[in-house]
Amino acid sequence: MTVAENKKTIGNIPEHPKSLLLRMDRMPHIWCSRCGIGIVVGCLAAALEKAGLSPDDITITSGIGCTGRVAGYVKVDSFHTTHGRAIPFAVGLALSRPDLKHVVFSGDGDLVSIGGNHFIHAARRNQNLLVICVNNFTYAMTGGQLAPTTPVTARATTAPYGSFENPFCLPNLAISAGADYVARWTSLHIRRMTDTFEEALNREGFRFIEIIAPCSTIYARRNKLGTGLDLMKYYYENSEIKHDATAEELEIGFQTKIVVGKFVDKERPSYARAMNRHLGKILGKKYIPPEVGGPQ
Amino acid sequence: MPDPRYWRKPFDSDKVKSPKGVVYVIKDRCKGCGFCVEFCPRGVLVLSVEFNKKGYHPPEVVHPDRCVNCDLCERICPEFAIYSLNQDEIIELAP
């Protein structure tokens, strides 16, 4: 929607330009002050606008957690699934409606902890999904328990003396599981994040984008890192863009340098395409490919 | 008028015009995080001393002439409470 079409007003000024894609009637949202999730939602809305997609062309699926609430704030077909099952739900959507774009928008605890198995197998089978993972290094909504992404020596509610577990490095996990498109940005890299979303929306296969976001109330407070604004300044000073980074460089320690960029960009046939090609070759005319679009 | 920070007048300054933007703040939606104030590249904003309905300090436009409609405040705002519009678009918008 262009500005001229935006007839709604709030007070005596025009409503926010993204009000076609975001449910402004539900604002203010539940996320804390200085949380980074809202930035990622705004950048996804901007990317949809830039890619020229209408709200009918896209679905958004979320799991449980702070980031899981995204499904309730977007004005597209969206679903708030059970804990960790955002990817299986979206796989069903992607197989039955291959004409739409399917986005999974969830947090690190949802996607790679309880939903870790779904994540690696969706990447292995190259399901046609865009997975956006907002990584804030903790289980924020349940009170700050130790997450599989919490860096070593960072404190959590269930690790009062600091974590001693080796965390997951999400881009490495996605690369080794075979994802087609892997990128990482922080919530400060708004322009590059928007461009990456726009590029990934027009691609096929399993696309994974990790966004490092500040958690002001839980992660920063428990670790005495100041507020979310201080974490944003830390991203500003300590993130380095490196598109051909090695696996060791991608690891994130506690308040160490963050290597960001687009790490993998390759083409493989997606699951449905590979199935149609293989079965068509083996069965010949006996094979009837599934109808695109489903019942109208 | 050329930017006083440049030591010479750019050669194409008569052809290239930097866009002018107008910043709008939806005050009651703001949670006072200060991201827009901190990262605005032109220093347009400052946190106000007044409170909004929820008890936060929303940003206040102190240098409206400096805004070049770069959209950074709109993108970086986690609350969807601030945006800028190009001045030409606003003229079209008015009846």
Side-chain angles (χ1 to χ4, degrees), chain B residues 2-17:
Chain B
D3 197 313
R5 286 176 303 171
Y6 295 133
W7 62 272
R8 66 163 175 80
K9 196 178 155 205
F11 292 131
D12 54 357
S13 65
D14 51 334
K15 277 175 270 172
V16 178
K17 291 267 183 291

Side-chain angles (χ1 to χ4, degrees), chain A residues 96-97 99 291-296:
Chain A
S96 59
R97 291 300 300 268
D99 51 327
E291 274 180 46
V292 172
Q296 294 298 317

Side-chain angles (χ1 to χ4, degrees), chain B residues 42-64:
Chain B
R42 306 280 294 183
V44 174
L45 302 159
V46 69
L47 278 187
S48 63
V49 286
E50 60 169 305
F51 292 99
N52 67 4
K53 220 178 351 184
K54 287 182 291 195
Y56 293 108
H57 298 287
E60 195 182 1
V61 182
V62 283
H63 297 291

Side-chain angles (χ1 to χ4, degrees), chain A residues 60-93:
Chain A
I60 292 183
T61 315
S62 293
I64 297 295
C66 286
T67 323
R69 301 297 291 243
V70 169
Y73 295 119
V74 286
K75 239 187 231 175
V76 303
D77 291 334
S78 58
F79 199 80
H80 191 186
T81 63
T82 45
H83 199 5
R85 314 299 174 227
I87 287 182
F89 187 90
V91 165
L93 279 177

